[in-house]
Amino acid sequence: MANYLQVIILHTIKKFQGERSIYAIYHMLQGKKSSQTIQDAHLFRLTNVFGTIPHFTRKQLVDTIQNLVEHDWITAKQNSDVFIITQSGEEELAQCEPIPTRLNGWKYQNVAPVFWGRLNLLIQTLSHIVHNETKFYPIQRNTKIQQSIKQFLQQNRQNRELMAQHLYEELTDLLERQSDRHQTIFVRKLTGINRVGQTFDQISKTMQLDEWYVRYVFLESLHWMLAEIEKTFTQYRLLSSLIRDLQQSRLTQSTQTTLQFIQAGRTLTEIADIRRLKVNTIEDHLVEIVLVDKQFPIDKYVTSAVEEKIRQVMKKLQTKQLKAIRQSLADEAISFFQIRLVLAKAGDEL
Amino acid sequence: MNSLEEMLEHYFGFTEFRPGQKEVISSLLAGKHLLAMLPTGTGKSLCYQLPTYALKKPTLIVSPLLSLMQDQAEQLKVRGEKRVLTFNSFLTLQQKKAALSQLSSFRFIFISPEMLALDYVIRAIQQIEIGLFVIDEAHCISQWGYDFRPDYLNLGEARQKLGEPLTLALTATATEEVRKDIIEKLEIKDMKQIVSTVDRHNIALFVEKLSRYEEKLERLVQLVQQFSGSGIIYFSSKKAAESVSEYLHNQGIDRVAYYHGGMEPDQRMLIQQQFITGQLRMICATSAFGMGVNKPDIRFVIHFHLPATMESYVQEIGRAGRDGEQSAAVLLYSDGDEGLPLHLMEQQLPTDAQVEGVHAVLLKSGEGMMDILKPMQEQLCQQFSLNEVQFRMIAQFLATKQDVAKPIELFKQYCYTRKSRNAQKLDQLLQWVRGSACRRVGIVQYFEENQAVNNPVCCDCCGMSIEQVMERWPHIVERQQADSFYWKRELASILCIKGTKE
């Protein structure tokens, strides 16, 4: 039986359909903020696992790939860095725990650790206060997290018993709509006055589950809770105020700047000039913008006639490879950039 | 408040000083630079904390390990001291700037040696008046110490730049040679020494010889079942710590976990806290565990592998019995165990070929040393198969020399000398292990103390048995492990919510 890291990588390889090398897997799981990776995440429907292993190492990747090859679950495409899933790989994947459906790395990979850090420390702090204990060792060493909880408690002058009660109600409400496993793993991670939270390894041993699986279930819990809090924030007043400052833009810093220029009516070449960047880079930014906002108008860069042509070729060839699409449109004056824009807009439609 | 005793009670809630503390504090308050050697677990930090309140000026504390620094800072904060700063590479540039601009508002400033090497940091500290300059784990400054840190070599210079403030160098384990070296490197002419014995009278010492690995495992199981209370089991490798922890668990021994430097920081934190609060009874650990772990009631320390030096052995067993109650240290030895520490020590030093290789690359590039060394670390490490420790060693050495072209014979010579020193130190420990003379006398002699040892609960060589030690063991009520786990009940109990139903 495959361990869950193998499952995640097998899943990623399957989704890439032999169109990306193993390094794309590495960047995907690490959550690299490059236009290529961001675009891939959308094209191949991998936004769920995007950035879910921020400390992923090349060695972990290479070892896992080798292991998958040995099991005959994947095979190299013409001795290259590109792998495809085999029939027995497909069968293995079908037997394993499915990929968590509520996982959303693309949206929450940055916010989830901060949310957890704060929630964890807030619970520990409240737990001590309501038990009349003022001295304790904070389970979160990160000074930023410590400061934000300090601030949070200063700004919310509410009676602490009441606050604990509200926190309890909001959390149980969120937990009750999850599976047994999610509930148990989440609460086992918590630290309070008479107990220190368990490590992933300890939980995996007590519950007799694979450690990577435990990590992913926990992550899914966090992502889903974040989504729920965002959706119906009036129902989760305490939790939503804990993360109010985190509802940031999903665009990278540089792309946000480019967006401002575009909205001010500048052309891409002008922006490149002003910002002393290559036009290519500005084009990358635009692709990123379209990925986040599919409604973003692209008719300035691709006429609707050209857009339609590209879509048809995509459908015909059943591929998302730029090269193949461009070759098939060889006699037209169509750039890679235009194809990428259309691909970004089409997103999962293919 | 006049007397030291009054201050002790007011700030720390103790009524009595531990041996050595008062002498150190009085000397400091009399304005004498001081090298103090106090054994692990005898309250070293109080030696600078109390004078800080008396001197009413900020104290600067240099600490070699980030985790140690944070542990000490957290302990101060838990005691109610708010004016504490930890200044290290964890801070963002913005945080650093903010901290430096309000330095004088802090009472305790913990700093890492590499931060103290930066000009802008020194300039900021020069603006305030430092009452006391503390060097924690001062043996790290000595190349002959067992835990040499090249970063520490800058401290003498930094101290001078700060106007030679009143200085306290603290260490738990340093031979006479190392102590001499510390004073030389700090360039303090009139430094007084206060050396108290390394002997910890309430720790009974045992060495047991076993013939095979399997026998060691069996014996370990017996020991941890026999001992009650908390304990640490030390290993030389991460893998062994993990697998033996698992083995113990499979033998039906609960509340045991492993800890090593390869784990993620937040997971390490959980294990450490579980141990301190008593949720866990035992930790299978590498030497990464222990510094800064302030747990008074550790009853036993078992060495499953041989440590590399007598100094590290004494440090590690010193974590037992800080509460003064009877405790025990057991070293399990089988022939050939010395191979592992020997191998580990070899790995800490670069070979001639590695030194020459890196040097050649630098010569070719001919630029400022640190500018290219850092960004090239990954490439250089790969090219010459250097590990991180080796690389830091080379980088530090080459960076302190003004001219790259300078012959590197000196450095090669240093590595060579150090290798033979290490081997010699290990050999000394081995002789102690294999010997049949009193263990306590052996330790005291190693540190060149003329201390008479007379202890009714001494060691295996003096005819003591584990059973006899257990007769003096304090009474310990073992925690019961919770039998069932239901998330809602658990959450309710954490947040003190009453009247919830399952």
Side-chain angles (χ1 to χ4, degrees), chain A residues 127 130-131 135-138 141 146 168 176 183 188 195-202 205 215, chain B residues 70-71 74-75 78 246 258 264 267 269-271 274 279 485 487-488 490-491 493-494 496 500:
Chain A
S127 175
V130 295
H131 285 91
K135 292 179 178 180
F136 64 95
Y137 286 93
R141 279 290 171 82
Q146 288 185 1
Y168 175 78
E176 260 164 356
Q183 295 163 342
R188 278 188 184 276
R195 41 162 290 157
V196 177
Q198 288 187 297
T199 65
F200 287 119
D201 177 58
Q202 288 174 320
K205 282 187 182 125
R215 283 173 186 265
Chain B
Q70 290 209 309
D71 285 329
E74 290 297 349
Q75 279 159 25
V78 167
E246 177 114 27
Y258 60 86
E264 294 151 89
Q267 307 288 298
M269 178 80 189
L270 291 174
I271 297 291
Q274 288 176 7
Q279 199 165 319
F485 183 96
W487 70 272
K488 210 167 171 181
E490 203 72 18
L491 187 60
S493 100
I494 290 175
C496 199
T500 44

Side-chain angles (χ1 to χ4, degrees), chain A residues 12 16 20 22-32 36-42 44-53 56 109:
Chain A
T12 311
F16 273 149
R20 290 290 183 274
I22 55 168
Y23 298 105
I25 302 173
Y26 175 69
H27 294 316
M28 187 64 58
L29 296 179
Q30 237 197 6
K32 190 180 179 192
Q36 179 69 58
T37 308
I38 293 170
Q39 188 164 9
D40 281 355
H42 287 84
F44 298 102
R45 298 192 195 195
L46 286 165
T47 46
N48 53 351
V49 296
F50 178 83
T52 46
I53 319 179
F56 199 38
Q109 64 133 343

Side-chain angles (χ1 to χ4, degrees), chain B residues 7-25:
Chain B
M7 292 186 72
L8 182 68
E9 187 158 9
H10 180 249
Y11 288 109
F12 301 91
F14 300 135
T15 47
E16 244 175 74
F17 282 105
R18 300 241 195 118
Q21 284 180 335
K22 195 172 177 182
E23 203 186 345
V24 171
I25 294 166

Side-chain angles (χ1 to χ4, degrees), chain A residues 8 47-49 52 99-105 216 219-220 223:
Chain A
I8 294 288
T47 46
N48 53 351
V49 296
T52 46
I99 305 297
T101 50
R102 293 160 153 186
L103 202 64
N104 193 347
Y216 268 94
L219 207 54
E220 185 190 30
H223 289 179

